[in-house]
């Protein structure tokens, strides 16, 4: 297994210094909890929902928003959920392209993405015609140039690395033409969703990227790009993204970061996962494909007895535990509602990297590994690992907000 690079150790040191400094370079306009609770995007009021909104409220919106023609002639609804995973996103990109070349990849009614999965999601949503773009993103676009130390701002600012390379990467692949294609699919009833974490409110925002793309707002492209950058912005590594909103007649900025902080994957919002409110009774049972850009199993590593190594390992462990809990809840939801559950992930024995860098050699190898999995047609499992504890068939508790 590849050990952390010297750059990673320096990164952790700078993160520690940043924490001690307690400084932030992003100017903020004060807001209240009440203002944030009702805040919307100016000109695009349907741009997002909150994952912990009341279950009945979310279902009411779903019933009025999802159109009948989204099911297609055969009545099939296919959902693709793409998790975060940093450089391991090369696995998901490769698997999707291999799946296309095998000729069995379905059209997806709903595509969701978090973190690295958010960068894959728009191209997965638009189908195999965008496979060359997706391959280019992970073979040429994503690389070590994304990790450029931001000078003194790394210590006294809001992120260690410069955000501009990440913004340029997103802008390179996301333009007005892509927005137009996403808007056209949105009008057919298909949905592209991306999650970010609102640090102010400690809530998961679920962004309807098709609604943004089709809004006609002059700020649609900028917001679309900002959401993708925010979803991939690991706190402390990149600066948070400030998104302008309006609440109670006042404009202010929300601070958004990596969607994986709270929701590393999304099939349905968290309030629905734990709710007794049934999904819309359409007689159609969706096929759910969860593409994990990581391993399902715990990944053993002898951790150095140093503060920074312990803190780093603890953070990744917390994200993995959060993801495991979400997987268990999602599997239980699918089982209760008779949804077809399918899960793919990096194999337990595959030598993934522990570095935070984007080593192209490693990513090319992982891309090929994912491609082979998709092309061979056997990456999907119907159940969770035996180490996961799945709830019994007892009635779920209702969660409201």
């Amino acid at each position: 297994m590849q050990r952390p690079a010297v750059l990673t150790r320096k990164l952790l040191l700078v993160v520690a210094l940043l924490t001690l400094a307690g400084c932030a370079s992003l100017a903020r306009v004060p807001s209240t909890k009440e203002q944030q609770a009702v805040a919307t995007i100016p000109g695009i009021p349907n741009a997002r929902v909150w994952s912990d909104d009341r279950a009945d409220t979310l279902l009411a919106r779903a019933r009025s928003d999802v159109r009948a023609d989204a099911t297609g002639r055969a009545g099939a609804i296919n959902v693709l959920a793409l998790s975060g995973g940093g450089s391991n996103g090369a696995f998901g990109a490769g698997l999707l392209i291999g799946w296309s070349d095998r000729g069995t990849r379905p059209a997806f009614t709903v595509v969701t993405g978090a973190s690295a999965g958010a960068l894959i999601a728009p191209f997965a949503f638009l189908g195999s015609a965008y496979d060359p773009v997706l391959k280019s993103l992970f073979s040429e676009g994503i690389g070590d140039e994304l990790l450029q130390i931001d000078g003194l701002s790394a210590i006294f600012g809001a992120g260690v690395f410069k955000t501009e390379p990440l913004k340029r990467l997103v802008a390179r692949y996301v333009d007005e033409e892509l927005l137009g294609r996403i808007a056209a699919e949105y009008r057919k009833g298909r949905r592209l969703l991306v999650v970010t974490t609102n640090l102010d409110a400690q809530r998961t925002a679920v962004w309807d990227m098709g609604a943004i793309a089709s809004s006609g707002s002059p700020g649609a492209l900028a917001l679309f790009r900002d959401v993708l950058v925010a979803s991939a912005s690991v706190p402390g590594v990149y600066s948070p993204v400030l998104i302008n909103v309006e609440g109670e007649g006042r404009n202010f900025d929300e601070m958004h970061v990596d969607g994986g902080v709270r929701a590393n994957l999304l099939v349905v919002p968290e309030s629905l996962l734990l709710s007794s409110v049934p999904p819309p009774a359409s007689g159609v049972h969706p096929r759910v494909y969860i593409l994990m850009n990581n391993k399902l199993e715990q990944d053993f590593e002898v951790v150095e007895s140093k503060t920074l190594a312990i803190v780093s390992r603890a953070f990744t462990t917390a994200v993995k535990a959060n993801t495991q809990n979400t997987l268990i809840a999602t599997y239980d939801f699918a089982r209760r509602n008779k949804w077809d559950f399918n899960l793919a992930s990096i194999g337990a024995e595959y030598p993934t990297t522990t570095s935070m860098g984007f080593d192209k050699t490693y990513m090319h190898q992982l891309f090929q590994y994912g491609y082979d999995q998709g092309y061979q047609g056997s990456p999907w499992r119907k159940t969770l690992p035996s180490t996961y504890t799945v709830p019994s068939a007892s009635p779920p508790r209702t969660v409201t907000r």
Side-chain angles (χ1 to χ4, degrees):
M1 181 177 292
Q2 186 178 342
R3 301 298 299 168
V6 173
L7 178 60
T8 303
R9 293 192 178 94
K10 290 181 178 179
L11 161 64
L12 293 173
L13 176 60
V14 175
V15 170
L17 291 173
L18 182 149
T19 303
L20 291 174
C23 299
S25 62
L26 297 177
R28 303 296 310 280
V29 175
S31 60
T32 66
K33 179 179 179 180
E34 291 72 24
Q35 289 169 338
Q36 190 282 320
V38 297
T40 59
I41 304 299
I44 318 177
N46 60 337
R48 69 179 184 197
V49 296
W50 299 105
S51 188
D52 60 352
D53 276 342
R54 289 177 58 97
D56 52 358
T57 300
L58 292 174
L59 285 174
R61 172 166 175 168
R63 291 188 182 98
S64 63
D65 194 43
V66 177
R67 301 169 188 176
D69 61 353
T71 62
R73 293 182 181 180
I77 295 180
N78 298 301
V79 179
L80 174 66
L82 298 154
S83 84
S87 60
N88 287 339
F91 167 76
L95 189 149
L96 286 169
I97 296 174
W99 198 2
S100 294
D101 289 349
R102 180 180 173 83
T104 57
R105 176 176 156 185
F108 298 110
T109 313
V110 179
V111 175
T112 75
S115 196
L119 300 181
I120 299 172
F123 312 108
F125 178 76
L126 291 175
S128 58
Y130 274 76
D131 283 355
V133 180
L134 187 56
K135 183 176 181 179
S136 173
L137 174 63
F138 279 89
S139 63
E140 301 174 10
I142 296 179
D144 286 336
E145 60 271 17
L146 291 182
L147 301 181
Q148 299 180 23
I149 297 291
D150 200 10
L152 289 177
S153 294
I155 300 177
F156 300 107
V160 174
F161 294 117
K162 295 179 180 179
T163 307
E164 285 71 22
L166 178 59
K167 290 181 177 179
R168 286 197 299 268
L169 174 70
V170 170
R172 173 182 170 186
Y173 290 95
V174 177
D175 55 17
E176 291 285 3
E177 179 182 354
L178 182 130
L179 245 64
R181 292 180 180 272
I182 290 174
E185 296 304 314
Y186 172 80
R187 287 189 284 269
K188 296 176 184 177
R190 300 178 62 218
R191 294 296 177 264
L192 171 62
L193 308 174
V194 167
V195 298
T196 64
T197 302
N198 181 332
L199 279 186
D200 298 320
Q202 295 183 319
R203 302 175 75 185
T204 297
V206 181
W207 297 87
D208 190 332
M209 306 301 276
I212 295 171
S214 64
S215 67
S217 170
L221 179 59
L223 177 62
F224 195 103
R225 290 171 172 173
D226 281 347
V227 170
L228 293 182
V229 171
S231 189
S233 292
V234 179
V237 177
Y238 292 113
S239 294
V241 175
L242 297 181
I243 296 179
N244 183 257
V245 298
E246 182 179 8
E248 295 186 341
R250 184 180 182 190
N251 285 82
F252 56 93
D253 292 325
E254 295 174 345
M255 180 178 284
H256 287 261
V257 297
D258 194 327
V261 171
R262 276 188 52 89
N264 201 32
L265 66 93
L266 172 75
V267 173
V268 296
E270 62 189 79
S271 61
L272 291 178
L273 284 180
L274 301 175
S275 173
S276 59
V277 178
S282 61
V284 177
H285 302 291
R287 289 193 295 263
V288 177
Y289 297 93
I290 299 175
L291 211 169
M292 288 294 303
N293 291 303
N294 219 318
K295 298 180 180 181
L296 296 177
E297 299 79 6
Q298 287 81 5
D299 206 4
F300 180 80
E301 176 188 349
V302 177
V303 181
E304 294 180 280
S305 298
K306 297 181 179 179
T307 301
L308 298 181
I310 293 170
V311 169
S312 175
R313 181 68 168 177
F315 176 77
T316 57
T317 300
V319 171
K320 193 153 197 170
N322 187 343
T323 304
Q324 178 174 316
N325 290 335
T326 302
L327 272 175
I328 291 172
T330 301
Y331 175 74
D332 187 51
F333 176 92
R335 183 180 59 177
R336 286 188 281 112
N337 293 287
K338 298 181 180 180
W339 289 19
D340 185 10
F341 180 89
N342 302 273
L343 175 63
S345 64
I346 299 174
E349 302 306 318
Y350 191 86
T352 50
T353 179
T354 58
S355 172
M356 292 184 67
F358 296 96
D359 180 80
K360 288 191 175 181
T361 299
Y362 168 75
M363 293 175 68
H364 288 167
Q365 293 171 345
L366 185 57
F367 178 94
Q368 186 62 46
Y369 169 77
Y371 179 91
D372 293 340
Q373 294 286 309
Y375 188 77
Q376 292 165 8
S378 57
W380 305 103
R381 58 188 301 164
K382 294 289 188 181
T383 61
L384 298 178
S386 58
T387 53
Y388 284 34
T389 302
V390 180
S392 61
S394 58
R397 63 189 179 90
T398 301
V399 176
T400 59
R401 186 179 178 89

